[in-house]
Amino acid sequence: MAAQCAAALCGLLLLSFSANLARSDDPPSTPVSPSAACNSTTDPTFCRSVLPPHGKDDLYTYGRFSVAESLAGARKFAALVDRYLARHRHLSPSAIAALRDCQLMAELNVDFLSAAGDTIKATDTLLDPQADDVHTLLSAILTNQQTCLDGLQAVATWSDRGGLDAPIANGTKLYSLSLSLFTRAWVPTAKPPKHPSHKGGHHGHGGKRKPSATARRGLLDVTDDEMVRRMAIEGPERTVAVNSVVTVDQSGAGNFTTVGDAVAAAPKNLNGNAGYHLIYVLAGVYEENVTVPKNKKYIMMVGDGIGQTVITGNRSVVDGWTTFQSATFAVVGQGFVAMNMTFRNTAGPAKHQAVALRSGADLSAFYGCSFEAFQDTLYTHSLRQFYRGCDVYGTVDYVFGNAAVVFQGCTFYSRLPMQGQSNTVTAQGRTDPNQNTGTSIQGCALIAAPELSANAAFTTLTYLGRPWKNFSRTVVMESFIEALVDPSGWMPWSGDFALDTLYYAEYNNTGPGADTSRRVTWPGYHVLGDGTDAGNFTVTSMVLGDNWLPQTGVPFTSGLLS
């Protein structure tokens, strides 16, 4: 029998796991001993070794101290990785690749901790979106640290990961402490309701069916000369500001012939207030690997439609790339928006991890796009993301990562895997109970791809997901689930790993695969019977989308669909 989640209990769990670690009637401004402050963290023993042992301060002071210590530690680790790479002649190519991932992760952590520290220095009172911004940054530094470790652990020929294991482990503990203290001091234990049970924001088509090709193109038709001259996008309910426009055309008739060159020439560090830098990519198959780096912010990339504008590559782990670097298209720069495009990795199932798109860009959105590969198709790496009216094709763990991400009106196509493999739609990677991350699938369709449907003799088990990390969190709600999904619904990772610490839930789904009567009975699995609980995984609550999605022009539903 499926585990049921009582409304009152689930509300506490979903709103703030950290609040349950140590309840106190004292406000965060009340002076407490370091030992008492540490009781509210995930590792009190480690916490007591970090905080100054004498005197009394309030939780705000302890939180600021911890973030400052984390920043100092991040800078030291970044320098350590740089020194290892400077001696790269003595390292294997796979070790160098893993270290370059660590180098980027360390740089981002320094940036994120600096920004978080500057914000919490200014005030004891943080309201959304500021509180959510800092919570997101502190969640992301743990994700970045884990990404570095995962890459190094895959380097079997590099003994003991070159002595980096201990610094990574210590850094992870310190970052977790900062996140614990922040959530205890700045994140309220009882937030006001943020989950309306009606459509809000840009409702568009309501999320249960994908927009037609006409609707997708209708959001932006940059082939219209008048539109380009106006440098604006006519969205369904508002005009989206664009401050510059360039075109990519393989024929040579545009400003650039490759997508990579257009990104490289884009202005640096736009703040979004003056609008997007628009890159219009004309129809064509662009065989290139593209990265939108951290200093290329607020880029909007628009193609001529799914299957018309295609960016494709074939990097894979089998061919020597890290999973992180295997992405055909990777984006780090904040505020990235993509529309009407296909991102593809053609490495094939035998090459195992081979990513089509990786996003570690905060406030990134994708509308009317297709992501096509097999294992590890879409890497929703970190920070806040939104996908609307998109198609995702894959086999094993084909939506994975540790972002706070909402999918609306998308279709997940499970493909034909290699013999003996099972399909798993999601593999969410939350590693800390205080992270505000998770995967929300709302108003979508989970169905078989044509090649899987056509191969009736090939028995393939398909699951909604499996727990990649200890606190994996995924919710499927108000969606259509085809019969291809196994009645148990969810697949274990290995033995009983994470079965009592994960959070998996289903709410108000339809279709022959939506019956929950034979689902897993894990402690962390829930069938939500109340829209109040499901509301915590909507656009409004999960990614604070009402604050940033309107400027993208991408349609969205704020709350539940009904």
Side-chain angles (χ1 to χ4, degrees):
M1 176 179 180
Q4 297 290 330
C5 184
L9 175 60
C10 284
L12 289 174
L13 287 171
L14 301 178
L15 284 174
S16 180
F17 187 104
S18 60
N20 295 325
L21 292 173
R23 290 268 181 187
S24 172
D25 294 331
D26 295 328
S29 58
T30 301
V32 295
S33 69
S35 181
C38 287
N39 288 335
S40 67
T41 67
T42 51
D43 190 342
T45 301
F46 177 77
C47 174
R48 293 183 186 107
S49 73
V50 173
L51 296 186
H54 304 296
K56 286 188 175 183
D57 282 307
D58 58 30
L59 288 177
Y60 297 118
T61 302
Y62 290 133
R64 294 186 182 101
F65 178 84
S66 177
V67 168
E69 289 293 295
S70 291
L71 177 57
R75 286 173 170 154
K76 289 179 182 177
F77 183 70
L80 179 61
V81 173
D82 288 344
R83 288 197 296 272
Y84 271 96
L85 280 169
R87 303 196 298 268
H88 68 271
R89 292 187 303 274
H90 309 293
L91 300 174
S92 67
S94 58
I96 294 171
L99 280 168
R100 293 209 181 279
D101 290 350
C102 290
Q103 187 177 48
L104 174 59
M105 296 300 99
E107 291 173 359
L108 291 173
N109 281 353
V110 170
D111 292 346
F112 293 170
L113 284 161
S114 296
D118 288 344
T119 301
I120 63 176
K121 279 178 188 175
T123 179
D124 290 348
T125 304
L126 291 180
L127 300 176
D128 285 337
Q130 270 192 319
D132 198 65
D133 290 346
V134 177
H135 199 174
T136 297
L137 292 174
L138 295 180
S139 295
I141 63 173
L142 280 165
T143 302
N144 292 341
Q145 193 82 338
Q146 186 65 48
T147 300
C148 170
L149 179 61
D150 287 343
L152 291 173
Q153 287 179 333
V155 183
T157 58
W158 193 18
S159 177
D160 194 33
R161 268 74 70 180
L164 291 175
D165 278 4
I168 292 174
N170 289 335
T172 299
K173 289 181 179 180
L174 190 53
Y175 301 157
S176 180
L177 172 60
S178 293
L179 182 59
S180 289
L181 291 172
F182 173 79
T183 54
R184 179 66 183 88
W186 277 277
V187 177
T189 57
K191 292 183 179 181
K194 296 195 303 179
H195 36 74
S197 58
H198 60 276
K199 297 173 186 177
H202 289 30
H203 328 148
H205 52 75
K208 286 203 173 184
R209 64 184 185 277
K210 295 192 308 174
S212 65
T214 301
R216 291 175 182 175
R217 288 287 294 139
L219 183 62
L220 169 63
D221 187 355
V222 290
T223 59
D224 185 331
D225 291 340
E226 176 62 25
M227 184 69 76
V228 173
R229 283 196 296 273
R230 290 175 59 190
M231 292 188 178
I233 302 166
E234 295 298 332
E237 298 179 23
R238 61 176 287 134
T239 297
V240 176
V242 174
N243 63 33
S244 53
V245 179
V246 297
T247 59
V248 181
D249 187 345
Q250 290 175 321
S251 73
N255 302 102
F256 303 94
T257 57
T258 71
V259 178
D261 285 347
V263 171
K268 295 180 179 179
N269 295 315
L270 294 176
N271 63 17
N273 293 332
Y276 291 93
H277 175 69
L278 174 62
I279 300 175
Y280 170 45
V281 187
L282 276 73
V285 177
Y286 296 81
E287 297 182 5
E288 52 181 311
N289 290 85
V290 179
T291 296
V292 180
K294 66 178 184 178
N295 63 355
K296 302 290 183 173
K297 300 179 180 180
Y298 291 94
I299 288 177
M300 179 174 284
M301 191 173 291
V302 180
D304 277 328
I306 289 176
Q308 300 301 307
T309 298
V310 180
I311 302 178
T312 183
N314 61 1
R315 292 178 178 175
S316 70
V317 167
V318 170
D319 287 335
W321 300 92
T322 63
T323 300
F324 190 82
Q325 292 174 357
S326 71
T328 298
F329 194 97
V331 55
V332 183
Q334 179 175 310
F336 180 82
V337 179
M339 303 179 188
N340 304 335
M341 302 180 70
T342 291
F343 302 94
R344 182 180 294 159
N345 190 313
T346 61
K351 294 298 181 73
H352 298 288
Q353 296 95 332
V355 176
L357 182 135
R358 183 191 84 234
S359 178
D362 198 21
L363 313 180
S364 55
F366 300 83
Y367 179 54
C369 292
S370 182
F371 310 94
E372 303 170 6
F374 290 86
Q375 181 171 348
D376 290 4
T377 300
L378 178 56
Y379 195 173
T380 55
H381 180 261
S382 57
L383 302 165
R384 292 165 291 193
Q385 307 179 24
F386 179 69
Y387 296 76
R388 175 78 172 208
C390 294
D391 298 333
V392 190
Y393 294 80
T395 55
V396 179
D397 305 339
Y398 63 92
V399 177
F400 74 111
N402 194 25
V405 56
V406 177
F407 294 88
Q408 275 187 357
C410 296
T411 303
F412 298 85
Y413 292 96
S414 292
R415 307 181 77 174
L416 187 67
M418 292 192 297
Q419 187 76 38
Q421 285 186 329
S422 297
N423 286 333
T424 42
V425 179
T426 66
Q428 206 281 329
R430 187 164 168 256
T431 61
D432 190 286
N434 289 304
Q435 287 178 304
N436 62 352
T437 56
T439 298
S440 176
I441 295 174
Q442 182 189 24
C444 296
L446 295 87
I447 65 177
E451 68 266 30
L452 184 59
S453 297
N455 199 317
F458 191 102
T459 303
T460 299
L461 297 176
T462 298
Y463 301 90
L464 299 174
R466 60 176 181 158
W468 182 26
K469 303 296 181 184
N470 255 316
F471 295 93
S472 182
R473 181 160 62 177
T474 301
V475 176
V476 181
M477 59 186 188
E478 302 181 301
S479 294
F480 175 84
I481 304 176
E482 206 171 57
L484 83 158
V485 172
D486 188 80
S488 63
W490 305 82
M491 179 183 180
W493 185 271
S494 178
D496 62 357
F497 170 75
L499 301 188
D500 58 351
T501 53
L502 61 78
Y503 186 94
Y504 286 167
E506 296 180 58
Y507 171 73
N508 202 23
N509 296 311
T510 60
D515 181 7
T516 59
S517 64
R518 296 167 58 191
R519 288 294 197 251
V520 295
T521 57
W522 305 338
Y525 172 71
H526 309 277
V527 177
L528 303 181
D530 190 307
T532 301
D533 300 327
N536 290 286
F537 299 97
T538 60
V539 164
T540 294
S541 295
M542 194 76 187
V543 295
L544 228 64
D546 297 307
N547 290 316
W548 61 275
L549 278 172
Q551 78 178 79
T552 69
V554 176
F556 67 94
T557 297
S558 294
L560 296 174
L561 303 180
S562 59

